[in-house]
Amino acid sequence: MRRRTYKLLALVFTVATLLLVVAYTQLPLQYIDNLPDYVEISWGDIDSLDAKNLTFEVDIAQPTSIDGDAQGYINVKAFRFFPLKKVKVKVESNRKVYSGGQPIGLMLNSNGVMIVGSGNIQTIQGVKGSVDLKKGDIIKKINSTHILKPKDIADFFKKHDGKPIELTIDRNGKSLTFKTQPLYDEINKEYKLGVWIKDSITGLGTVSYVRLDGRFGALGHPVVDSDTNLMFPIYSGQVYDAKVVGVEKGQSGKAGALKGTFNSYDKCIGSVHDNNKYGIFGKLDIYSQDKMLPIGSRLSVKPGKAKIISTVNSKCEEYDIEIIKTHSQKKKSDKSMVIKVTDARLLETTGGIVQGMSGSPILQDGKVVGAITHVFVNDPTRGYGIYLDWMIDN
């Protein structure tokens, strides 16, 4: 009798263990692992939280009001019973932005001057190459003279007496200081470093959002210098009104592009203060205020129908897309979701996603949830998007 009881208990334990194993394998483990410890959401996000076999129970620590902010917790449970994680939340009633989609012209000024190439100098000893500088280096100082533009270097060497100089540069994010001997150009009769340099770049981008105070985010990825393939370090920048004048249609194996131009270099409409992995950030003095939408938290974004706002001709319009896949991310990334263009009008005009559309805001359930960042070169109808949370954090 006792042996039979032991066998029955063993059987029950085995079945229970198998059920737990099966249940555990049905949980989105990566999603759970990447849930943040703290997140800011809007009231509308609460009803959008969704993940396979998970329940999100919202426990607000103070009386809720649709017109006010609140703090509390989201208790994440498996199968409505097993507690997995408690996420601290701040619920904001006014977590809104003006949606973007408009093209802007950008003029970015470097923090120092960037080395983009090297050349030969005719010295008294013969032809010599550049001094100890590499492509991508940023000259910050010569001796005690701060360098912000090429003219600063030219002005320094007009007074130079041929002695060794001390260079302070930024190389791969690290500050280096070393002495070197400038080269005397026998043809132009002046001292030189023997390098090609630049202090600014220009280009077009798409606005992702504008906050109530005019702060904006654009592109969703960094501006990269075409000569060095490195992120362009900025000291300052200006924003100008721009327009799209043509489209190079994308096709498999070759990314397309929007062709645009600045409307005027005389009228600056804003400033840029940062160029980083997640986009261009600054402040606009003049911007459209016709469409304000709530921000959708990254926890609320899910596969399904969505829209983008973009300008691919003369008008800023909404286009249909589908969010194919979302990534649960605890750390910032510019590849948060995979999207697919489904709008026949956009496919006819551009073939899908093209260069210049980066930054186009992604809308889902009436909220701004992200922005386009990349196109799949082998399939221009698909690409990546970044969660707006990651851009707003900047």
Side-chain angles (χ1 to χ4, degrees):
M1 182 70 177
R2 186 175 295 175
R3 184 177 296 174
R4 186 176 299 171
T5 301
Y6 287 154
K7 287 184 176 180
L8 181 60
L9 288 173
L11 179 61
V12 170
F13 178 78
T14 302
V15 172
T17 301
L18 287 173
L19 289 174
L20 285 173
V21 170
V22 171
Y24 189 73
T25 58
Q26 294 303 305
L27 293 174
L29 300 180
Q30 186 181 10
Y31 183 92
I32 298 168
D33 183 58
N34 286 320
L35 279 172
D37 298 316
Y38 171 81
V39 70
E40 295 179 3
I41 63 176
S42 63
W43 288 104
D45 284 333
I46 294 175
D47 297 328
S48 302
L49 297 177
D50 179 45
K52 181 181 177 183
N53 296 326
L54 295 182
T55 304
F56 298 87
E57 295 180 356
V58 181
D59 179 17
I60 301 298
Q62 64 185 52
T64 62
S65 167
I66 200 65
D67 297 321
D69 298 343
Q71 293 185 354
Y73 296 91
I74 296 175
N75 297 303
V76 184
K77 296 181 177 181
F79 307 103
R80 298 184 176 276
F81 183 75
F82 300 103
L84 296 174
K85 186 162 186 175
K86 180 181 280 190
V87 179
K88 187 176 181 180
V89 295
K90 180 181 180 183
V91 188
E92 297 181 334
S93 61
N94 201 28
R95 199 165 184 259
K96 297 179 179 179
V97 291
Y98 295 108
S99 58
Q102 308 89 352
I104 52 172
L106 298 167
M107 180 175 288
L108 306 180
N109 308 305
S110 65
N111 186 7
V113 295
M114 176 179 274
I115 309 301
V116 297
S118 60
N120 294 321
I121 295 176
Q122 181 64 54
T123 70
I124 196 169
Q125 294 89 6
V127 176
K128 288 192 175 182
S130 61
V131 297
D132 308 315
L133 291 167
K134 296 181 179 180
K135 195 174 184 180
D137 286 348
I138 301 160
I139 301 175
K140 299 302 222 26
K141 285 198 305 183
I142 302 179
N143 291 350
S144 59
T145 301
H146 288 273
I147 304 299
L148 290 178
K149 49 189 181 294
K151 186 176 182 298
D152 295 336
I153 297 178
D155 289 344
F156 176 88
F157 280 124
K158 281 180 182 177
K159 305 172 184 177
H160 185 55
D161 56 6
K163 293 179 181 178
I165 59 173
E166 187 175 76
L167 286 176
T168 300
I169 67 168
D170 186 305
R171 178 175 292 168
N172 299 324
K174 294 182 179 180
S175 180
L176 300 175
T177 299
F178 59 89
K179 286 190 175 181
T180 189
Q181 176 64 52
L183 303 173
Y184 188 74
D185 187 343
E186 289 290 335
I187 297 176
N188 295 304
K189 306 300 180 183
E190 59 186 5
Y191 285 96
K192 293 182 177 181
L193 295 175
V195 291
W196 297 103
I197 57 177
K198 69 166 62 172
D199 67 336
S200 64
I201 57 175
T202 59
L204 271 74
T206 297
V207 176
S208 304
Y209 67 87
V210 184
R211 305 198 77 167
L212 301 181
D213 59 2
R215 285 179 295 157
F216 78 94
L219 271 71
H221 62 69
V223 172
V224 175
D225 175 65
S226 59
D227 292 308
T228 63
N229 290 321
L230 297 173
M231 184 167 66
F232 193 75
I234 71 165
Y235 174 76
S236 64
Q238 296 79 44
V239 183
Y240 299 90
D241 194 22
K243 62 182 177 182
V244 176
V245 297
V247 177
E248 183 180 335
K249 197 170 181 178
Q251 53 186 306
S252 180
K254 184 182 178 183
L258 298 179
K259 298 178 181 179
T261 182
F262 289 23
N263 283 336
S264 172
Y265 281 95
D266 297 327
K267 190 175 182 181
C268 178
I269 63 171
S271 58
V272 177
H273 62 70
D274 197 13
N275 173 35
N276 63 42
K277 186 177 179 182
Y278 312 103
I280 285 286
F281 301 92
K283 190 166 185 179
L284 292 177
D285 303 316
I286 302 172
Y287 55 93
S288 171
Q289 302 181 28
D290 59 348
K291 194 165 187 178
M292 178 177 280
L293 296 172
I295 299 169
S297 163
R298 64 188 183 279
L299 296 182
S300 69
V301 186
K302 55 188 179 294
K305 292 183 179 180
K307 293 181 180 292
I308 59 170
I309 305 178
S310 196
T311 303
V312 297
N313 40 50
S314 59
K315 198 162 87 172
C316 189
E317 295 184 80
E318 291 187 2
Y319 298 97
D320 293 327
I321 66 165
E322 184 178 356
I323 298 176
I324 302 296
K325 185 178 182 180
T326 59
H327 297 292
S328 179
Q329 294 174 331
K330 202 169 186 176
K331 295 181 179 179
K332 296 177 186 177
S333 170
D334 56 356
K335 295 179 180 178
S336 305
M337 64 185 100
V338 178
I339 65 171
K340 179 179 175 64
V341 175
T342 58
D343 196 291
R345 297 170 302 149
L346 190 57
L347 291 171
E348 175 64 27
T349 304
T350 66
I353 301 167
V354 296
Q355 294 175 3
M357 286 175 63
S358 294
S360 298
I362 300 171
L363 277 55
Q364 190 176 56
D365 298 328
K367 295 174 288 188
V368 187
V369 300
I372 293 176
T373 58
H374 300 81
V375 60
F376 292 179
V377 177
N378 291 330
D379 181 2
T381 67
R382 295 175 183 250
Y384 284 112
I386 184 175
Y387 292 138
L388 201 71
D389 277 355
W390 299 144
M391 294 185 71
I392 290 291
D393 280 353
N394 286 276

